[in-house]
Amino acid sequence: MTETANAPAKAAFPDTRPTGCPFDPAAEYQELRDTAPVSQVSCPVGVDAWLVTRYEDVRSVLADPRLSSRAASPSNHVNTEADLDAPAAPGSILHHDGPEHSRLRRLLTPEFTVKRIQAMRPYIADLVDQHIDRMLEGTEADLYHDFGLPIPSLVICELLGVPYADREMFQAASGVLLKVDITQEQRMAASGQVQGYMAQLVMAKMASPTDEDLLGRLIQRATAGGTPLTIEELVTLGISLLIAGHETTANMIALSAAALLQHPDRLAELRTDASIAPAAVEEMLRYLSVVQFGVFRRVVEDLPIGEQVFKEGEFVIAALSSGNRQESVFGDPDEIDFGRNASAHLTFGYGAHQCLGQQLARVELQEVFARLYTRIPTLRLAIPFENIEFKHDALVYGVRSLPVTWDAQA
C-alpha cells in the first residue's frame, strides 16, 4: 500500500480483548479514540491499514461509496491466508459494490421487511418456548448448544427451505469458515463441503421453484424481473444467508446470557418486566459487539476522514466495537443500561452493506429475552465464570459452550 508521509508509527492491529473483562473490546480502543482516532496499524493478513475508532468516523467509512468491500471481506485483515486481490464471487452480497450489490439486495429485501419478519414472531416465540420446555425436563443444559444454536438454525432453515436434519454439517462448516487461525486448506475443505450441499439444494429448487421458501421465491422474483440468477449466484447467496442467519444470533443468545448472569441487577430488570426486552436487546447488541474485529474496506478514490486523507489503494478498518463504546454517544458506555436508547449502535453496520437480516435477529433475540429469564428465574452458571471458553479466534465473538443450571420447578 502507499505510505503516507505524515502517518504515525504503526502498531499491531488490536485483536485481543482485555484479560479482566471478556465482554469489553480491545483495551487500546479507548486511548485511540482520545488521542489518535485515525491511526495506521499492521494487520495479520500482511498489509497496513487505517484504523478508524470514533463513532462518527466509523459511520462515515461504512456509508462512503469510495470505500469498497470487493475482495476485502468484512474481516479479511485478521485472516493471514486471505487473498485481498481475489475477484468477488458471483452472488456475494458482502463483496460486491454499486449496481451489482444493489441488484442482489433488491432481490432479497422483500424477504426481510419488518412486516414479513413480524409475521414470523409467533413461530419464533413458539420455538423459544419449545426449547425452554425441553430444558425444563431436567435441571441443567448447555445454553449455547441446547438453546442458543438450534433456535436461529431452525428459523433460517425454515426460511430458506433447508432440511433441519442437515444442520450439523453446515454448523460445523460455518464454525470453520468463521475462524481466523485456520489454513487455506481447511478453509477450502469446509467451503467445498457447504458449496456442494447448497448446489444440490439450489438445483432441485431451480427445477421446481415454489413460494414456500426464500430460495424458491428468489428464483421466481429474479426470473420475473428479466435477470435470472445463476446457480453460482444462488449458491453463494444461500450460503451467506445460512451462515449469517444462525451464527451471529446463536452467539448473541449465549454471550448475552453469560454477561447478564454477571450483572444480576440488569437480569432482575428483565425478569421483573419482560416488556423491556426490545430495549435490552439493543443495549446488549451495543455492549457486546459480536463482530469483534470490525469491518475491512479498500479505498477506491481519495477521501478525507477526520484530519486524514485516505489514498486510493489503501485499506481501512472500521472498529464497530470501539464506536459502540464512545462516551459522547453512549454515556457510561462500559455499563449495561436498559434505560438508554441504544438503537443507533453499529453492531449491524451502517450504509449500503448494513445487515439485511437485522430485523430477524432482533425478533429472535427479543423473544429469547422476554421468555428465557422469566420462565427460568433461577437460571445460573453451572461452572465457575473463569472456566468459560470464549471465541477469541472467531470473526463472530461468543462462547464455545455455556453450562447452566436452575432449581427444579414444580
mmCIF file of all heavy atoms in Angstrom, residues 299-346:
data_model
loop_
_atom_site.group_PDB
_atom_site.id
_atom_site.type_symbol
_atom_site.label_atom_id
_atom_site.label_comp_id
_atom_site.label_asym_id
_atom_site.label_seq_id
_atom_site.Cartn_x
_atom_site.Cartn_y
_atom_site.Cartn_z
ATOM 1 N N VAL A 299 -9.864 1.505 -0.262
ATOM 2 C CA VAL A 299 -10.132 2.836 -0.805
ATOM 3 C C VAL A 299 -10.037 2.774 -2.325
ATOM 4 O O VAL A 299 -9.034 2.348 -2.882
ATOM 5 C CB VAL A 299 -9.122 3.869 -0.251
ATOM 6 C CG1 VAL A 299 -9.435 5.255 -0.795
ATOM 7 C CG2 VAL A 299 -9.131 3.871 1.275
ATOM 8 N N VAL A 300 -11.096 3.223 -3.008
ATOM 9 C CA VAL A 300 -11.087 3.239 -4.472
ATOM 10 C C VAL A 300 -10.987 4.661 -5.019
ATOM 11 O O VAL A 300 -10.790 4.853 -6.213
ATOM 12 C CB VAL A 300 -12.345 2.541 -5.052
ATOM 13 C CG1 VAL A 300 -12.318 1.068 -4.714
ATOM 14 C CG2 VAL A 300 -13.622 3.191 -4.549
ATOM 15 N N GLU A 301 -11.098 5.644 -4.141
ATOM 16 C CA GLU A 301 -10.951 7.041 -4.539
ATOM 17 C C GLU A 301 -10.562 7.837 -3.305
ATOM 18 O O GLU A 301 -11.110 7.616 -2.215
ATOM 19 C CB GLU A 301 -12.276 7.560 -5.109
ATOM 20 C CG GLU A 301 -12.238 9.005 -5.581
ATOM 21 C CD GLU A 301 -13.589 9.478 -6.072
ATOM 22 O OE1 GLU A 301 -14.407 8.630 -6.493
ATOM 23 O OE2 GLU A 301 -13.835 10.701 -6.010
ATOM 24 N N ASP A 302 -9.584 8.739 -3.447
ATOM 25 C CA ASP A 302 -9.118 9.511 -2.294
ATOM 26 C C ASP A 302 -10.295 10.147 -1.557
ATOM 27 O O ASP A 302 -11.227 10.668 -2.173
ATOM 28 C CB ASP A 302 -8.170 10.627 -2.740
ATOM 29 C CG ASP A 302 -6.849 10.092 -3.279
ATOM 30 O OD1 ASP A 302 -6.717 8.860 -3.369
ATOM 31 O OD2 ASP A 302 -5.967 10.908 -3.609
ATOM 32 N N LEU A 303 -10.240 10.104 -0.210
ATOM 33 C CA LEU A 303 -11.281 10.749 0.586
ATOM 34 C C LEU A 303 -10.737 11.129 1.950
ATOM 35 O O LEU A 303 -9.849 10.449 2.481
ATOM 36 C CB LEU A 303 -12.496 9.843 0.757
ATOM 37 C CG LEU A 303 -12.406 8.687 1.767
ATOM 38 C CD1 LEU A 303 -13.793 8.341 2.266
ATOM 39 C CD2 LEU A 303 -11.750 7.459 1.145
ATOM 40 N N PRO A 304 -11.246 12.210 2.544
ATOM 41 C CA PRO A 304 -10.826 12.610 3.890
ATOM 42 C C PRO A 304 -11.741 12.011 4.946
ATOM 43 O O PRO A 304 -12.961 11.954 4.784
ATOM 44 C CB PRO A 304 -10.985 14.136 3.854
ATOM 45 C CG PRO A 304 -12.119 14.360 2.895
ATOM 46 C CD PRO A 304 -12.072 13.238 1.889
ATOM 47 N N ILE A 305 -11.149 11.542 6.016
ATOM 48 C CA ILE A 305 -11.887 11.124 7.214
ATOM 49 C C ILE A 305 -11.183 11.766 8.394
ATOM 50 O O ILE A 305 -9.987 11.536 8.620
ATOM 51 C CB ILE A 305 -11.912 9.597 7.386
ATOM 52 C CG1 ILE A 305 -12.707 8.939 6.260
ATOM 53 C CG2 ILE A 305 -12.502 9.222 8.746
ATOM 54 C CD1 ILE A 305 -14.205 9.164 6.311
ATOM 55 N N GLY A 306 -11.906 12.578 9.142
ATOM 56 C CA GLY A 306 -11.259 13.325 10.208
ATOM 57 C C GLY A 306 -10.209 14.252 9.614
ATOM 58 O O GLY A 306 -10.478 14.984 8.664
ATOM 59 N N GLU A 307 -9.013 14.196 10.148
ATOM 60 C CA GLU A 307 -7.919 15.029 9.647
ATOM 61 C C GLU A 307 -7.018 14.272 8.684
ATOM 62 O O GLU A 307 -5.992 14.792 8.260
ATOM 63 C CB GLU A 307 -7.093 15.560 10.830
ATOM 64 C CG GLU A 307 -7.897 16.439 11.779
ATOM 65 C CD GLU A 307 -7.068 16.943 12.945
ATOM 66 O OE1 GLU A 307 -5.883 16.551 13.041
ATOM 67 O OE2 GLU A 307 -7.599 17.713 13.757
ATOM 68 N N GLN A 308 -7.392 13.046 8.323
ATOM 69 C CA GLN A 308 -6.562 12.207 7.468
ATOM 70 C C GLN A 308 -7.195 12.046 6.087
ATOM 71 O O GLN A 308 -8.411 11.983 5.955
ATOM 72 C CB GLN A 308 -6.385 10.825 8.112
ATOM 73 C CG GLN A 308 -5.448 9.908 7.365
ATOM 74 C CD GLN A 308 -4.036 10.469 7.315
ATOM 75 O OE1 GLN A 308 -3.469 10.824 8.345
ATOM 76 N NE2 GLN A 308 -3.477 10.556 6.121
ATOM 77 N N VAL A 309 -6.363 12.003 5.064
ATOM 78 C CA VAL A 309 -6.831 11.715 3.709
ATOM 79 C C VAL A 309 -6.415 10.289 3.357
ATOM 80 O O VAL A 309 -5.227 9.960 3.374
ATOM 81 C CB VAL A 309 -6.261 12.717 2.688
ATOM 82 C CG1 VAL A 309 -6.680 12.316 1.275
ATOM 83 C CG2 VAL A 309 -6.729 14.129 3.002
ATOM 84 N N PHE A 310 -7.402 9.443 3.066
ATOM 85 C CA PHE A 310 -7.111 8.089 2.631
ATOM 86 C C PHE A 310 -6.860 8.089 1.131
ATOM 87 O O PHE A 310 -7.619 8.687 0.369
ATOM 88 C CB PHE A 310 -8.282 7.151 2.949
ATOM 89 C CG PHE A 310 -8.609 7.037 4.413
ATOM 90 C CD1 PHE A 310 -9.884 6.696 4.820
ATOM 91 C CD2 PHE A 310 -7.649 7.270 5.384
ATOM 92 C CE1 PHE A 310 -10.197 6.577 6.162
ATOM 93 C CE2 PHE A 310 -7.946 7.157 6.729
ATOM 94 C CZ PHE A 310 -9.226 6.814 7.115
ATOM 95 N N LYS A 311 -5.828 7.392 0.711
ATOM 96 C CA LYS A 311 -5.429 7.359 -0.691
ATOM 97 C C LYS A 311 -5.938 6.098 -1.383
ATOM 98 O O LYS A 311 -6.063 5.030 -0.755
ATOM 99 C CB LYS A 311 -3.903 7.426 -0.812
ATOM 100 C CG LYS A 311 -3.276 8.676 -0.196
ATOM 101 C CD LYS A 311 -3.672 9.918 -0.950
ATOM 102 C CE LYS A 311 -2.938 11.153 -0.410
ATOM 103 N NZ LYS A 311 -3.342 12.383 -1.152
ATOM 104 N N GLU A 312 -6.212 6.221 -2.659
ATOM 105 C CA GLU A 312 -6.662 5.076 -3.443
ATOM 106 C C GLU A 312 -5.701 3.896 -3.266
ATOM 107 O O GLU A 312 -4.478 4.055 -3.335
ATOM 108 C CB GLU A 312 -6.748 5.455 -4.918
ATOM 109 C CG GLU A 312 -7.215 4.328 -5.815
ATOM 110 C CD GLU A 312 -7.246 4.723 -7.274
ATOM 111 O OE1 GLU A 312 -7.089 5.935 -7.580
ATOM 112 O OE2 GLU A 312 -7.409 3.820 -8.126
ATOM 113 N N GLY A 313 -6.259 2.736 -3.020
ATOM 114 C CA GLY A 313 -5.464 1.528 -2.847
ATOM 115 C C GLY A 313 -5.177 1.184 -1.405
ATOM 116 O O GLY A 313 -4.768 0.056 -1.107
ATOM 117 N N GLU A 314 -5.352 2.143 -0.490
ATOM 118 C CA GLU A 314 -5.114 1.862 0.923
ATOM 119 C C GLU A 314 -6.292 1.093 1.516
ATOM 120 O O GLU A 314 -7.372 0.996 0.916
ATOM 121 C CB GLU A 314 -4.883 3.164 1.692
ATOM 122 C CG GLU A 314 -3.596 3.873 1.294
ATOM 123 C CD GLU A 314 -3.347 5.126 2.122
ATOM 124 O OE1 GLU A 314 -4.310 5.823 2.496
ATOM 125 O OE2 GLU A 314 -2.158 5.409 2.378
ATOM 126 N N PHE A 315 -6.064 0.550 2.723
ATOM 127 C CA PHE A 315 -7.089 -0.213 3.417
ATOM 128 C C PHE A 315 -7.522 0.531 4.678
ATOM 129 O O PHE A 315 -6.739 1.254 5.290
ATOM 130 C CB PHE A 315 -6.573 -1.605 3.788
ATOM 131 C CG PHE A 315 -6.307 -2.485 2.596
ATOM 132 C CD1 PHE A 315 -5.022 -2.594 2.073
ATOM 133 C CD2 PHE A 315 -7.332 -3.185 1.992
ATOM 134 C CE1 PHE A 315 -4.764 -3.385 0.973
ATOM 135 C CE2 PHE A 315 -7.096 -3.995 0.889
ATOM 136 C CZ PHE A 315 -5.810 -4.096 0.375
ATOM 137 N N VAL A 316 -8.785 0.301 5.054
ATOM 138 C CA VAL A 316 -9.369 0.961 6.217
ATOM 139 C C VAL A 316 -10.137 -0.075 7.034
ATOM 140 O O VAL A 316 -10.820 -0.939 6.478
ATOM 141 C CB VAL A 316 -10.327 2.099 5.799
ATOM 142 C CG1 VAL A 316 -10.932 2.782 7.022
ATOM 143 C CG2 VAL A 316 -9.607 3.119 4.929
ATOM 144 N N ILE A 317 -10.023 0.023 8.359
ATOM 145 C CA ILE A 317 -10.796 -0.832 9.262
ATOM 146 C C ILE A 317 -11.730 0.059 10.083
ATOM 147 O O ILE A 317 -11.274 0.985 10.755
ATOM 148 C CB ILE A 317 -9.887 -1.619 10.223
ATOM 149 C CG1 ILE A 317 -8.868 -2.451 9.455
ATOM 150 C CG2 ILE A 317 -10.732 -2.505 11.148
ATOM 151 C CD1 ILE A 317 -7.719 -2.953 10.312
ATOM 152 N N ALA A 318 -13.013 -0.210 10.018
ATOM 153 C CA ALA A 318 -13.993 0.496 10.841
ATOM 154 C C ALA A 318 -14.241 -0.338 12.092
ATOM 155 O O ALA A 318 -14.813 -1.429 12.016
ATOM 156 C CB ALA A 318 -15.296 0.694 10.067
ATOM 157 N N ALA A 319 -13.789 0.158 13.246
ATOM 158 C CA ALA A 319 -13.878 -0.583 14.508
ATOM 159 C C ALA A 319 -15.267 -0.406 15.118
ATOM 160 O O ALA A 319 -15.528 0.553 15.855
ATOM 161 C CB ALA A 319 -12.795 -0.117 15.469
ATOM 162 N N LEU A 320 -16.172 -1.316 14.818
ATOM 163 C CA LEU A 320 -17.550 -1.221 15.301
ATOM 164 C C LEU A 320 -17.610 -1.210 16.823
ATOM 165 O O LEU A 320 -18.344 -0.417 17.426
ATOM 166 C CB LEU A 320 -18.375 -2.401 14.768
ATOM 167 C CG LEU A 320 -18.368 -2.669 13.267
ATOM 168 C CD1 LEU A 320 -19.286 -3.840 12.938
ATOM 169 C CD2 LEU A 320 -18.794 -1.437 12.491
ATOM 170 N N SER A 321 -16.850 -2.093 17.454
ATOM 171 C CA SER A 321 -16.901 -2.198 18.914
ATOM 172 C C SER A 321 -16.390 -0.940 19.584
ATOM 173 O O SER A 321 -16.857 -0.560 20.662
ATOM 174 C CB SER A 321 -16.099 -3.413 19.389
ATOM 175 O OG SER A 321 -14.746 -3.311 18.986
ATOM 176 N N SER A 322 -15.436 -0.258 18.960
ATOM 177 C CA SER A 322 -14.932 0.995 19.507
ATOM 178 C C SER A 322 -15.992 2.088 19.419
ATOM 179 O O SER A 322 -16.254 2.807 20.379
ATOM 180 C CB SER A 322 -13.668 1.429 18.770
ATOM 181 O OG SER A 322 -13.193 2.659 19.257
ATOM 182 N N GLY A 323 -16.643 2.213 18.260
ATOM 183 C CA GLY A 323 -17.703 3.197 18.115
ATOM 184 C C GLY A 323 -18.850 2.964 19.087
ATOM 185 O O GLY A 323 -19.442 3.914 19.613
ATOM 186 N N ASN A 324 -19.134 1.694 19.367
ATOM 187 C CA ASN A 324 -20.210 1.353 20.295
ATOM 188 C C ASN A 324 -19.881 1.678 21.749
ATOM 189 O O ASN A 324 -20.771 1.626 22.607
ATOM 190 C CB ASN A 324 -20.545 -0.137 20.190
ATOM 191 C CG ASN A 324 -21.438 -0.450 19.004
ATOM 192 O OD1 ASN A 324 -22.102 0.432 18.470
ATOM 193 N ND2 ASN A 324 -21.459 -1.707 18.595
ATOM 194 N N ARG A 325 -18.640 1.990 22.023
ATOM 195 C CA ARG A 325 -18.249 2.327 23.402
ATOM 196 C C ARG A 325 -17.798 3.792 23.514
ATOM 197 O O ARG A 325 -17.087 4.136 24.462
ATOM 198 C CB ARG A 325 -17.119 1.406 23.860
ATOM 199 C CG ARG A 325 -17.501 -0.063 24.011
ATOM 200 C CD ARG A 325 -18.503 -0.296 25.138
ATOM 201 N NE ARG A 325 -18.768 -1.707 25.353
ATOM 202 C CZ ARG A 325 -18.188 -2.456 26.302
ATOM 203 N NH1 ARG A 325 -17.311 -1.892 27.124
ATOM 204 N NH2 ARG A 325 -18.489 -3.728 26.433
ATOM 205 N N GLN A 326 -18.222 4.653 22.599
ATOM 206 C CA GLN A 326 -17.805 6.054 22.662
ATOM 207 C C GLN A 326 -18.656 6.818 23.669
ATOM 208 O O GLN A 326 -19.878 6.878 23.562
ATOM 209 C CB GLN A 326 -17.902 6.709 21.284
ATOM 210 C CG GLN A 326 -17.349 8.137 21.272
ATOM 211 C CD GLN A 326 -17.105 8.637 19.872
ATOM 212 O OE1 GLN A 326 -16.605 7.907 19.019
ATOM 213 N NE2 GLN A 326 -17.443 9.892 19.628
ATOM 214 N N GLU A 327 -17.973 7.451 24.620
ATOM 215 C CA GLU A 327 -18.634 8.143 25.736
ATOM 216 C C GLU A 327 -19.577 9.242 25.275
ATOM 217 O O GLU A 327 -20.676 9.405 25.810
ATOM 218 C CB GLU A 327 -17.557 8.728 26.654
ATOM 219 C CG GLU A 327 -18.085 9.608 27.773
ATOM 220 C CD GLU A 327 -18.697 8.818 28.928
ATOM 221 O OE1 GLU A 327 -18.252 7.681 29.163
ATOM 222 O OE2 GLU A 327 -19.617 9.350 29.562
ATOM 223 N N SER A 328 -19.186 10.015 24.269
ATOM 224 C CA SER A 328 -20.005 11.148 23.840
ATOM 225 C C SER A 328 -21.284 10.713 23.132
ATOM 226 O O SER A 328 -22.208 11.516 22.971
ATOM 227 C CB SER A 328 -19.192 12.066 22.918
ATOM 228 O OG SER A 328 -18.795 11.379 21.740
ATOM 229 N N VAL A 329 -21.364 9.466 22.717
ATOM 230 C CA VAL A 329 -22.558 8.950 22.045
ATOM 231 C C VAL A 329 -23.400 8.107 22.998
ATOM 232 O O VAL A 329 -24.634 8.219 23.035
ATOM 233 C CB VAL A 329 -22.169 8.112 20.808
ATOM 234 C CG1 VAL A 329 -23.417 7.570 20.097
ATOM 235 C CG2 VAL A 329 -21.336 8.946 19.845
ATOM 236 N N PHE A 330 -22.742 7.261 23.770
ATOM 237 C CA PHE A 330 -23.417 6.397 24.735
ATOM 238 C C PHE A 330 -22.812 6.669 26.112
ATOM 239 O O PHE A 330 -21.729 6.156 26.424
ATOM 240 C CB PHE A 330 -23.244 4.921 24.359
ATOM 241 C CG PHE A 330 -23.671 4.583 22.951
ATOM 242 C CD1 PHE A 330 -22.730 4.413 21.946
ATOM 243 C CD2 PHE A 330 -25.014 4.459 22.626
ATOM 244 C CE1 PHE A 330 -23.114 4.101 20.646
ATOM 245 C CE2 PHE A 330 -25.409 4.151 21.323
ATOM 246 C CZ PHE A 330 -24.456 3.971 20.339
ATOM 247 N N GLY A 331 -23.484 7.479 26.915
ATOM 248 C CA GLY A 331 -22.945 7.817 28.232
ATOM 249 C C GLY A 331 -22.681 6.583 29.078
ATOM 250 O O GLY A 331 -23.447 5.612 29.033
ATOM 251 N N ASP A 332 -21.577 6.611 29.853
ATOM 252 C CA ASP A 332 -21.154 5.437 30.631
ATOM 253 C C ASP A 332 -21.180 4.182 29.755
ATOM 254 O O ASP A 332 -21.870 3.198 30.057
ATOM 255 C CB ASP A 332 -22.046 5.231 31.856
ATOM 256 C CG ASP A 332 -21.930 6.354 32.863
ATOM 257 O OD1 ASP A 332 -20.812 6.870 33.035
ATOM 258 O OD2 ASP A 332 -22.953 6.718 33.469
ATOM 259 N N PRO A 333 -20.441 4.173 28.655
ATOM 260 C CA PRO A 333 -20.581 3.105 27.651
ATOM 261 C C PRO A 333 -20.154 1.727 28.125
ATOM 262 O O PRO A 333 -20.573 0.729 27.534
ATOM 263 C CB PRO A 333 -19.673 3.586 26.514
ATOM 264 C CG PRO A 333 -18.646 4.452 27.177
ATOM 265 C CD PRO A 333 -19.377 5.123 28.293
ATOM 266 N N ASP A 334 -19.337 1.658 29.188
ATOM 267 C CA ASP A 334 -18.894 0.356 29.669
ATOM 268 C C ASP A 334 -19.878 -0.266 30.650
ATOM 269 O O ASP A 334 -19.613 -1.344 31.197
ATOM 270 C CB ASP A 334 -17.510 0.482 30.318
ATOM 271 C CG ASP A 334 -16.448 0.918 29.315
ATOM 272 O OD1 ASP A 334 -16.617 0.620 28.121
ATOM 273 O OD2 ASP A 334 -15.466 1.559 29.728
ATOM 274 N N GLU A 335 -21.003 0.410 30.872
ATOM 275 C CA GLU A 335 -22.058 -0.105 31.734
ATOM 276 C C GLU A 335 -23.236 -0.582 30.877
ATOM 277 O O GLU A 335 -23.515 -0.028 29.821
ATOM 278 C CB GLU A 335 -22.548 0.974 32.705
ATOM 279 C CG GLU A 335 -21.467 1.497 33.640
ATOM 280 C CD GLU A 335 -20.904 0.421 34.559
ATOM 281 O OE1 GLU A 335 -21.702 -0.441 35.004
ATOM 282 O OE2 GLU A 335 -19.688 0.429 34.816
ATOM 283 N N ILE A 336 -23.936 -1.610 31.354
ATOM 284 C CA ILE A 336 -25.168 -2.064 30.718
ATOM 285 C C ILE A 336 -26.321 -1.248 31.285
ATOM 286 O O ILE A 336 -26.555 -1.257 32.496
ATOM 287 C CB ILE A 336 -25.406 -3.561 30.964
ATOM 288 C CG1 ILE A 336 -24.254 -4.396 30.396
ATOM 289 C CG2 ILE A 336 -26.737 -4.003 30.353
ATOM 290 C CD1 ILE A 336 -24.335 -5.874 30.755
ATOM 291 N N ASP A 337 -27.025 -0.541 30.417
ATOM 292 C CA ASP A 337 -28.114 0.341 30.845
ATOM 293 C C ASP A 337 -29.314 0.126 29.929
ATOM 294 O O ASP A 337 -29.332 0.614 28.802
ATOM 295 C CB ASP A 337 -27.650 1.801 30.808
ATOM 296 C CG ASP A 337 -28.733 2.772 31.238
ATOM 297 O OD1 ASP A 337 -29.843 2.320 31.609
ATOM 298 O OD2 ASP A 337 -28.489 3.989 31.193
ATOM 299 N N PHE A 338 -30.327 -0.592 30.412
ATOM 300 C CA PHE A 338 -31.504 -0.861 29.598
ATOM 301 C C PHE A 338 -32.382 0.379 29.427
ATOM 302 O O PHE A 338 -33.308 0.371 28.616
ATOM 303 C CB PHE A 338 -32.335 -1.988 30.218
ATOM 304 C CG PHE A 338 -31.639 -3.327 30.214
ATOM 305 C CD1 PHE A 338 -32.000 -4.311 31.116
ATOM 306 C CD2 PHE A 338 -30.629 -3.598 29.302
ATOM 307 C CE1 PHE A 338 -31.369 -5.548 31.118
ATOM 308 C CE2 PHE A 338 -29.987 -4.829 29.289
ATOM 309 C CZ PHE A 338 -30.364 -5.814 30.202
ATOM 310 N N GLY A 339 -32.101 1.425 30.169
ATOM 311 C CA GLY A 339 -32.882 2.642 30.062
ATOM 312 C C GLY A 339 -32.421 3.563 28.951
ATOM 313 O O GLY A 339 -33.134 4.512 28.590
ATOM 314 N N ARG A 340 -31.251 3.304 28.409
ATOM 315 C CA ARG A 340 -30.744 4.167 27.336
ATOM 316 C C ARG A 340 -31.356 3.769 25.989
ATOM 317 O O ARG A 340 -31.816 2.642 25.803
ATOM 318 C CB ARG A 340 -29.215 4.090 27.271
ATOM 319 C CG ARG A 340 -28.687 2.934 26.495
ATOM 320 C CD ARG A 340 -27.216 3.100 26.121
ATOM 321 N NE ARG A 340 -26.338 2.504 27.118
ATOM 322 C CZ ARG A 340 -25.389 3.182 27.763
ATOM 323 N NH1 ARG A 340 -25.209 4.472 27.514
ATOM 324 N NH2 ARG A 340 -24.630 2.586 28.665
ATOM 325 N N ASN A 341 -31.332 4.685 25.048
ATOM 326 C CA ASN A 341 -31.709 4.377 23.668
ATOM 327 C C ASN A 341 -30.446 3.995 22.914
ATOM 328 O O ASN A 341 -29.667 4.846 22.503
ATOM 329 C CB ASN A 341 -32.382 5.582 23.008
ATOM 330 C CG ASN A 341 -32.805 5.280 21.575
ATOM 331 O OD1 ASN A 341 -32.628 4.163 21.087
ATOM 332 N ND2 ASN A 341 -33.361 6.262 20.903
ATOM 333 N N ALA A 342 -30.239 2.696 22.756
ATOM 334 C CA ALA A 342 -29.017 2.188 22.124
ATOM 335 C C ALA A 342 -29.234 1.808 20.672
ATOM 336 O O ALA A 342 -28.357 1.197 20.054
ATOM 337 C CB ALA A 342 -28.492 0.980 22.904
ATOM 338 N N SER A 343 -30.384 2.162 20.099
ATOM 339 C CA SER A 343 -30.730 1.682 18.762
ATOM 340 C C SER A 343 -29.807 2.195 17.661
ATOM 341 O O SER A 343 -29.799 1.654 16.555
ATOM 342 C CB SER A 343 -32.175 2.052 18.432
ATOM 343 O OG SER A 343 -32.349 3.456 18.457
ATOM 344 N N ALA A 344 -29.024 3.242 17.958
ATOM 345 C CA ALA A 344 -28.094 3.765 16.944
ATOM 346 C C ALA A 344 -26.742 3.053 16.981
ATOM 347 O O ALA A 344 -25.778 3.524 16.369
ATOM 348 C CB ALA A 344 -27.896 5.262 17.146
ATOM 349 N N HIS A 345 -26.665 1.905 17.663
ATOM 350 C CA HIS A 345 -25.406 1.162 17.716
ATOM 351 C C HIS A 345 -24.971 0.723 16.328
ATOM 352 O O HIS A 345 -25.758 0.730 15.375
ATOM 353 C CB HIS A 345 -25.537 -0.038 18.649
ATOM 354 C CG HIS A 345 -26.552 -1.050 18.182
ATOM 355 N ND1 HIS A 345 -26.304 -1.934 17.152
ATOM 356 C CD2 HIS A 345 -27.811 -1.320 18.605
ATOM 357 C CE1 HIS A 345 -27.360 -2.700 16.958
ATOM 358 N NE2 HIS A 345 -28.300 -2.350 17.818
ATOM 359 N N LEU A 346 -23.716 0.309 16.229
ATOM 360 C CA LEU A 346 -23.105 -0.028 14.942
ATOM 361 C C LEU A 346 -22.994 -1.533 14.693
ATOM 362 O O LEU A 346 -22.374 -1.957 13.718
ATOM 363 C CB LEU A 346 -21.703 0.591 14.867
ATOM 364 C CG LEU A 346 -21.642 2.116 14.971
ATOM 365 C CD1 LEU A 346 -20.211 2.580 15.226
ATOM 366 C CD2 LEU A 346 -22.191 2.753 13.703
#
